[in-house]
Amino acid sequence: MMNTKRVISTIEKNYILNNLRKEERIDGRGLWEYRDWTIKSDVIASAEGSADVTLGDTRIITGLKYDVGTPFPDLPEEGVCTFMAELLPLASPIFERGPPSDQSIELARVVDRGIRHADCVQTKKLCIKANKAVYILFVDLYVINYSGNLIDAGGISSLTTLISSHIPEGKWVDDQLEWTGKYLTGETIVNELPIVTTYGKIGDVIFLDPTLPEELVSDGRISISVTEDKIVSIQKSGLATFSLEEINMLSKKSMEIGKKLRKELNLWQYKVKY
Amino acid sequence: MPLIIKDEYPEKLFREDGKRLDGRDKHELRPIKMEVGLLKNADGSAYLEWGNNKIFAAVYGPRDVHPHYLAKPDRGILRVFYRMATFSVFDRKRPAPGRREKEISMVLADCLEPLLFLELYPGNSFEVFINVMDADGGTRCACATAAALALADAGVPMRSLVTAVAVGKIDGELVTDLSGIEDKTGEADLPCAITWFNEELSLLQFDGSIDLKEFDESITLAKNALIKIHEMQLNTLKNKYIAIQEEYSGGKNKK
């Protein structure tokens, strides 16, 4: 089996790095540009919301299922929204079968934190009866093709899934759950749209949306989630270290890029009518 | 605990006009869409939409066997991993592979292995990963069909393709290509696959109860449907190369 990290030649690494120093990317992008996005929503008939998102060659299919359960005792009026990610071995020779890898857990957790701290999912709306019954949402991400930057693709994929969701509406009558025949849709459940932006770092060069070869040679990366006016989550991973000025610059950059991307993708167009 | 909405089953599986619930005739197949070579990282891949079933298959190999003790000194090995997405079914499936998935993986491996010349690849393995993203009855048949396409797309030497379809009995009548509801509520379900180099069955399972005459008839029905699906498989594989040819000849071959 291959190493968990695919070997990349020094020559290729130098080529990528020299190009980056000249503010050029191997695929012709600028340092602060995303690859092309394509988004399809509501693609899975069995799921209560789904999205098929590609960012360049990276492709993630996400689906939403729900369950009704008892709320946590300390949050009796709030529903629960959980995230899981699976790096399917069909997506890349460097993904292995078996229990979730560190990388897949990190992906799910970073996406989760970006959405959790942004007042995105209205957990209070997911309550059917306080202390008795709340919705538990499962947002599951499946990586179909891996070509770098899973976190940003995962973030957009999860948001689109939540926006396109349509969950049967329940009512609490005589200590029992009854279905009203109506649906809770993404419009009710989702409020803020947090955008997560990931930057790679090689040497002293920082750039947006690393592709697979860039990810393999980079020293590390940082993912910053932002809403319209606030930073909601940051994850630095890999061996790279970032100076205070760099972090300052990146947080400003994220707000800017987040604003632009939110407008460009116009995710609210994927809401469903029920 | 409060109950989730129940998966509802209708009483009758035929409409008043004699058609099936989804509007098909008794021996009509659901719409099938096939695509090959769409996953860039895999050696070969296929995507199959069969009614509401949505399936990705990818082949990696020949490559080293991991764990190493599974390698055989005189021949290669074929491993098949059938998995369903958590959201592909009515009640969320648990993420870890279950007993059903393991059994189907094994059945599919046995179905595909006669096609390959494994004796040419001592110490190596072929791995076929099949992921069902949306399921609506007959996934094992669709998976065998998709896996054969992915293997062919990977350029693995093969004796022929394999094609699979399910035949069954609902409300006392034999029908071809059962949908999810028909599969759950019908009287019998007979998934089968034909390897075309010898025209023999390499996947055969049966659940339900039918008499001998009906059984014979079902096999014939299956064969008729399989011929049609095999034709689609061949066209899908050819079209990939026709598209490449046209691209490089600058559209000169186009009429």
Side-chain angles (χ1 to χ4, degrees):
Chain A
M1 199 73 184
M2 297 206 186
N3 291 324
T4 12
K5 195 148 200 188
R6 205 190 77 185
V7 186
I8 209 157
S9 62
T10 320
I11 260 189
E12 197 175 349
K13 179 170 179 167
N14 289 341
Y15 175 70
I16 294 173
L17 187 54
N18 288 337
N19 272 306
L20 283 172
R21 288 234 166 84
K22 287 184 273 173
E23 304 215 346
E24 278 170 20
R25 308 279 286 268
I26 40 176
D27 51 5
R29 278 182 292 153
L31 289 187
W32 310 107
E33 279 173 43
Y34 268 112
R35 287 168 282 173
D36 289 335
W37 290 94
T38 58
I39 301 177
K40 275 185 240 158
S41 70
D42 219 5
V43 287
I44 308 289
S46 311
E48 274 81 33
S50 53
D52 181 349
V53 169
T54 63
L55 171 58
D57 280 335
T58 294
R59 181 172 182 189
I60 299 185
I61 295 184
T62 308
L64 179 139
K65 293 301 285 183
Y66 73 99
D67 198 348
V68 177
T70 36
F72 292 116
D74 54 337
L75 295 168
E77 287 175 20
E78 293 192 21
V80 185
C81 182
T82 65
F83 291 80
M84 184 204 75
E86 216 170 305
L87 310 179
L88 300 177
L90 64 69
S92 168
I94 58 182
F95 292 164
E96 289 183 34
R97 289 180 309 113
S101 61
D102 295 355
Q103 198 188 351
S104 75
I105 292 171
E106 191 201 17
L107 168 61
R109 294 223 358 122
V110 173
V111 169
D112 182 6
R113 281 166 38 210
I115 288 176
R116 187 180 302 274
H117 300 297
D119 187 31
C120 168
V121 180
Q122 301 291 290
T123 43
K124 289 225 161 75
K125 298 253 167 72
L126 295 174
C127 176
I128 301 171
K129 170 84 180 166
N131 286 312
K132 296 267 170 137
V134 294
Y135 288 104
I136 301 167
L137 305 186
F138 299 94
V139 180
D140 298 326
L141 297 93
Y142 283 84
V143 178
I144 301 289
N145 201 56
Y146 174 45
S147 180
N149 200 2
L150 293 174
I151 292 178
D152 293 9
I156 295 294
S157 186
S158 309
L159 272 186
T160 315
T161 304
L162 286 165
I163 288 172
S164 75
S165 62
H166 39 85
I167 304 160
E169 190 185 57
K171 210 168 55 179
W172 198 257
V173 186
D174 302 332
D175 223 26
Q176 253 191 29
L177 182 66
E178 267 181 25
W179 299 105
T180 60
K182 287 191 214 139
Y183 288 84
L184 271 178
T185 60
E187 225 174 340
T188 327
I189 300 169
V190 180
N191 181 26
E192 283 274 358
L193 297 184
I195 302 278
V196 48
T197 46
T198 298
Y199 308 87
K201 184 174 182 186
I202 308 178
D204 51 358
V205 191
I206 301 180
F207 49 93
L208 180 71
D209 183 23
T211 61
L212 182 56
E214 285 167 346
E215 213 163 81
L216 290 175
V217 299
S218 63
D219 304 323
R221 61 182 152 73
I222 189 164
S223 301
I224 305 180
S225 303
V226 292
T227 59
E228 291 279 358
D229 51 0
K230 284 196 180 68
I231 294 181
V232 287
S233 140
I234 299 182
Q235 174 91 344
K236 191 233 95 176
S237 60
L239 304 178
T241 50
F242 290 84
S243 72
L244 297 181
E245 292 80 45
E246 281 169 345
I247 296 292
N248 220 318
M249 184 268 287
L250 284 177
S251 46
K252 279 201 199 91
K253 207 84 194 175
S254 300
M255 293 301 245
E256 215 175 276
I257 294 167
K259 212 162 257 166
K260 203 174 121 209
L261 195 64
R262 201 175 287 117
K263 203 169 150 201
E264 216 173 87
L265 298 178
N266 182 21
L267 291 176
W268 283 114
Q269 68 179 296
Y270 301 107
K271 68 183 182 203
V272 287
K273 277 259 169 285
Y274 257 92
Chain B
M1 233 20 269
L3 282 173
I4 297 285
I5 289 188
K6 284 221 181 73
D7 202 354
E8 280 171 23
Y9 301 124
E11 269 176 34
K12 280 190 179 160
L13 292 168
F14 283 105
R15 303 195 309 210
E16 284 188 357
D17 59 357
K19 300 218 175 190
R20 288 150 79 177
L21 291 179
D22 47 10
R24 281 186 290 157
D25 286 332
K26 268 194 267 174
H27 302 302
E28 197 179 334
L29 294 168
R30 287 174 281 178
I32 298 176
K33 203 180 107 189
M34 298 172 183
E35 204 181 325
V36 288
L38 71 162
L39 304 178
K40 300 284 185 302
N41 292 335
D43 294 314
S45 59
Y47 171 66
L48 177 65
E49 250 181 66
W50 185 322
N52 269 342
N53 292 313
K54 292 191 177 66
I55 291 155
F56 287 90
V59 172
Y60 285 90
R63 66 178 179 184
D64 284 350
V65 187
H66 177 79
H68 197 69
Y69 64 81
L70 292 174
K72 293 191 175 155
D74 60 333
R75 59 201 293 273
I77 59 168
L78 171 73
R79 305 173 80 196
V80 177
F81 303 99
Y82 165 96
R83 294 288 308 277
M84 286 178 109
T86 51
F87 47 76
S88 66
V89 281
F90 189 81
D91 288 314
R92 181 177 186 261
K93 197 198 81 70
R94 294 166 63 96
R99 285 156 52 91
R100 178 178 171 277
E101 284 163 301
K102 290 197 172 149
E103 187 220 333
I104 293 181
S105 301
M106 196 202 79
V107 170
L108 288 174
D110 294 347
C111 165
L112 295 167
E113 196 164 322
L115 303 173
L116 306 179
F117 298 90
L118 287 178
E119 62 281 6
L120 300 179
Y121 302 91
N124 281 287
S125 74
F126 289 99
E127 289 181 306
V128 183
F129 300 104
I130 309 171
N131 279 85
V132 179
M133 302 314 286
D134 202 351
D136 185 23
T139 55
R140 75 194 68 191
C141 297
C143 286
T145 309
L149 280 175
L151 280 166
D153 181 53
V156 180
M158 290 163 84
R159 292 187 170 87
S160 74
L161 288 171
V162 65
T163 314
V165 78
V167 178
K169 190 174 163 189
I170 57 169
D171 289 1
E173 306 228 31
L174 290 179
V175 293
T176 313
D177 187 17
L178 298 171
S179 69
I181 293 175
E182 290 167 349
D183 189 4
K184 281 177 204 141
T185 43
E187 290 130 70
D189 174 25
L190 174 91
C192 59
I194 288 187
T195 46
W196 295 101
F197 68 95
N198 55 3
E199 302 217 1
E200 290 186 345
L201 298 173
S202 79
L203 181 156
L204 185 62
Q205 293 185 307
F206 178 74
D207 293 292
S209 70
I210 52 176
D211 60 33
L212 274 180
K213 193 171 146 276
E214 282 172 326
F215 186 76
D216 282 350
E217 203 183 321
S218 333
I219 297 278
T220 322
L221 285 172
K223 176 119 194 233
N224 293 341
L226 288 170
I227 290 170
K228 280 183 220 155
I229 303 166
H230 184 223
E231 197 64 31
M232 287 184 221
Q233 279 177 301
L234 292 176
N235 285 335
T236 311
L237 289 167
K238 277 182 206 154
N239 284 340
K240 180 189 162 190
Y241 293 100
I242 292 173
I244 294 174
Q245 200 180 20
E246 275 172 5
E247 191 184 325
Y248 283 94
S249 62
K252 272 177 221 153
N253 290 1
K254 254 187 223 162
K255 286 202 172 157

